[in-house]
Amino acid sequence: MPGKRGKLKSSLPAPRKRQKTSSTTEDIQTLERTILAAIQDGSSLNPLTDLMGLISSSPDPKTTHSVLYAVYRISVALAQAGRLTPERDESEEAKIVRQWLEARVTTFSELLAGLLKDDERALRIGALEIILSLIIHLSRAASPPGRMDIYLNHFRHFIHGLLLCPPSPRQTSDPAFGQGSGRIEIDVRDKFLDDNLTIHDDLRWFFLREAAVIMSSPSLRSSDTAHNLLSLLEKLNTMPTDVKELNAFWIPEFAKRPKKIQTDQSSDTEEEGDEVPDTADDWRAFFDEQEQNESAPVVKGKRRRLNQLPVHASLHILHSHRVQFSNCWLALVPHLAMSRPLSARALAILHRGVLPHMTRPIQLMDWIAGCVDHDPFDPKEPSPLLTNALSSSLWELAAHQNHYLTSISTLSKIFSAPFTRMPYAMEEFLDHTYATLFATEAKRNIKKDPAMMLQLHSGTVFPAAPIDLNSASGDVLGELWLFD
């Protein structure tokens, strides 16, 4: 009609309003079905970007939870369909598509790692379960026939999220929630420990190896990372002590033992499951036979090089697990030295939870000696309230160096000296407690009487008037005391 201007209808589709999208369960299911169908028929997978965008943009935790499991199922389908694995005669176009899909799955792993710090518990635990399950499927898809490997890139994203604790990618999540920025949440720690780290030998092996890499990084400055790793290690109450105990695997394919393991520089083979010889694996041999070992000639070609073995083979060697455990602690202790509370926590579990599983416990002795040297207790402070005794676990060492019992004074002096190359057997430190020291001295048989015994005289012990020893006649001491 004249005088009225109507709206021109655009031929382009209406722009998507991602922030205002009604992210209902039906919408998510529709997107998921569309993407799963595209995986099978080779059509466009661009809707995957829209679906993943809901993880960080949706204000509703329930919606985010549904999206996480939808993207998880899609990622598994991509892996099982071979869409993430390069083909032998791959075209340039197929390569571009594959790399784009790999980038989407990598982004998904990073989102999951960040959700470990979300303020919603269901999202934290869901992200933990999803990323661990996803790594198994990706590892199976990426491994060549006849050999199983872990999908290391995504496992590292998980370990970074666990120890470095980046903030949640959700825009509505509170960054100051729970343990605060940079600290692992207690429920995530306990869930990972109880259901995974204390059970699965292969997962523990990979975790210790990657944690050591993170702690050894020169760019690592945050003490929270050391706190996070220590909070996991101090509650790790299971470590294999016999090769037969290597029987629980996170990735089932790793449970099958390789047939043979090649020895170093030798064509001979050894049955899988054999350990390093007892004399090389026993930490007591380092102390008790130290001089003999140093002077003994080195026989080449007889010792295994664990770092040259395939990962699958290393998972079935007890000594390899101890090596990873030792490397992890050796990478952690330099960061503990900068924090008195962390050092005290580590010392509390040292004898029972750490040293028995180290390849060479002496490697931790410099750190232990450093704890003694930097003891906060001030023996010169006259006020007990200002001595910092409560902040110290070693405040009695100085006094015990002058103890009347030789065994106590000797042991105190040992701890006060640097542990460089001390000729003491390690069990001397592992076996001694206050209770054992007291029981040893209380039950000790007296083989001979002391050198001198004093007995009170029946006369006056303390005279009323002072005695002038110069003018007194006779044996003054003999009158006061009777010596037998």
Side-chain angles (χ1 to χ4, degrees), residues 16 33 39 75 85 108 113 157 165 210 239 248 283 303 317 331 350 360 371 404 439 450 452 454 465-466:
R16 295 177 181 265
R33 286 193 296 267
I39 295 175
S75 300
T85 307
F108 182 50
H157 285 308
C165 295
E210 296 306 319
M239 273 293 294
W283 54 263
R303 180 178 297 178
I317 298 179
L350 192 67
R360 285 192 172 184
C371 293
Y404 74 96
M452 182 177 67
L454 301 179

Side-chain angles (χ1 to χ4, degrees), residues 97-125:
V97 174
R98 176 180 56 80
Q99 291 177 343
W100 183 85
L101 290 174
E102 287 178 347
R104 302 288 77 74
V105 177
T106 299
T107 301
F108 182 50
S109 293
E110 294 173 348
L111 292 172
L112 291 171
L115 287 172
L116 297 177
K117 279 293 294 180
D118 198 84
D119 58 1
E120 289 288 338
R121 183 183 185 279
L123 292 180
R124 295 195 301 271
I125 301 303

